[in-house]
Amino acid sequence: MATAIPSLNDGRVTIRAIRLKDARVLERELLDNRGWLRKWEATNPYGALSFDVRASIRSLQSNARAGFGLPFAIEYDGDFAGQLNVSGITYGSLSSASIGYWVSERFAGLGLTPTAVALASDYCFFQVGMHRIEICIRPENAPSLRVVEKLGFRYEGLRRRYIHINGDWRDHFCFALTAEELPFGALRRWHEGRVPVGAGTVPQADRDAALLPGTHPR
């Protein structure tokens, strides 16, 4: 079932539905941030795909109409700053979804990403009716690891060669939250300083395992 995509904000950060008219600014941001984003981008293991921003937006919108995703643009003071996608939405006995995101380099360090993730998570839990939200992050992606640590996403384990990123299958650390853990929401818990200490900490054994010969990204 399709779910409306709202505009949500906290302070200077807003997340809203991605639109076709975002294509030009989105393409510019992706090109300007190529070096910043390339090492984290999902790739096709069977060969390169054409770069068509408008087609990508249409695909996200189609997926949203089918009820499987919520594609958001991230704004900072009204400027396009990145994207956040809620994907893999499943209802019924599973009631779960995954969150992925990116922000332009010039907006890094301003608190956009944890705010955007918290806004989207709260919407999924309290309005869409999700029971579980998952975020999977490459071991080398220190900024994203700080995001889940700030918000208290609970570490769940190492997934071997999980997603094809930047030309190869890459290990990922998996983090999640369930509705029972957030009676007042992720955003409020973070703002009020009530995030459990150590919830997003990756055990050293898993950090070491992600660096074993043959598994480290080439």
Side-chain angles (χ1 to χ4, degrees):
M1 55 183 169
T3 300
I5 303 176
S7 179
L8 307 167
N9 73 283
D10 181 67
R12 303 169 76 176
V13 179
T14 298
I15 62 172
R16 57 158 177 83
I18 193 79
R19 303 182 292 242
L20 272 177
K21 65 181 182 180
D22 292 318
R24 182 173 296 178
V25 65
L26 173 56
E27 183 173 19
R28 185 177 68 245
E29 291 297 331
L30 290 172
L31 292 173
D32 288 349
N33 287 270
R34 193 76 182 125
W36 167 254
L37 298 173
R38 180 185 290 114
K39 58 186 175 181
W40 314 121
E41 288 180 348
T43 47
N44 182 359
Y46 306 108
L49 296 175
S50 60
F51 181 65
D52 187 332
V53 172
R54 291 181 67 84
S56 175
I57 293 174
R58 288 193 185 97
S59 178
L60 289 170
Q61 292 175 330
S62 176
N63 196 49
R65 287 192 295 271
F68 301 132
L70 296 169
F72 289 98
I74 304 173
E75 294 182 338
Y76 187 76
D77 284 344
D79 291 331
F80 191 100
Q83 286 181 271
L84 182 148
N85 290 318
V86 181
S87 61
I89 293 178
T90 304
Y91 300 94
S93 58
L94 192 56
S95 294
S96 71
S98 298
I99 288 180
Y101 46 79
W102 64 268
V103 296
S104 298
E105 186 173 13
R106 71 181 184 279
F107 294 105
L110 298 177
L112 276 78
T113 308
T115 300
V117 170
L119 287 168
S121 297
D122 287 350
Y123 180 72
C124 286
F125 283 129
F126 299 125
Q127 301 300 321
V128 183
M130 293 291 96
H131 175 255
R132 182 177 184 277
I133 299 293
E134 177 179 284
I135 297 177
C136 292
I137 301 170
R138 282 183 57 184
E140 309 86 356
N141 194 341
S144 275
L145 292 175
R146 286 195 291 273
V147 169
V148 292
E149 185 176 4
K150 286 178 180 179
L151 297 180
F153 273 74
R154 176 176 26 78
Y155 179 67
E156 291 196 331
L158 171 63
R159 294 189 178 177
R160 289 291 193 192
R161 298 177 64 79
Y162 180 54
I163 303 175
H164 203 269
I165 302 284
N166 193 25
D168 201 1
W169 295 101
R170 312 289 183 174
D171 290 353
H172 281 68
F173 293 145
C174 179
F175 304 82
L177 282 174
T178 61
E180 293 87 350
E181 297 171 84
L182 295 166
F184 304 109
L187 187 67
R188 178 175 168 185
R189 186 175 74 163
W190 176 41
H191 283 338
E192 293 181 355
R194 294 193 286 166
V195 172
V197 176
T201 301
V202 179
Q204 189 60 48
D206 281 3
R207 290 184 179 274
D208 293 341
L211 299 176
L212 289 175
T215 64
H216 193 274
R218 294 191 292 272

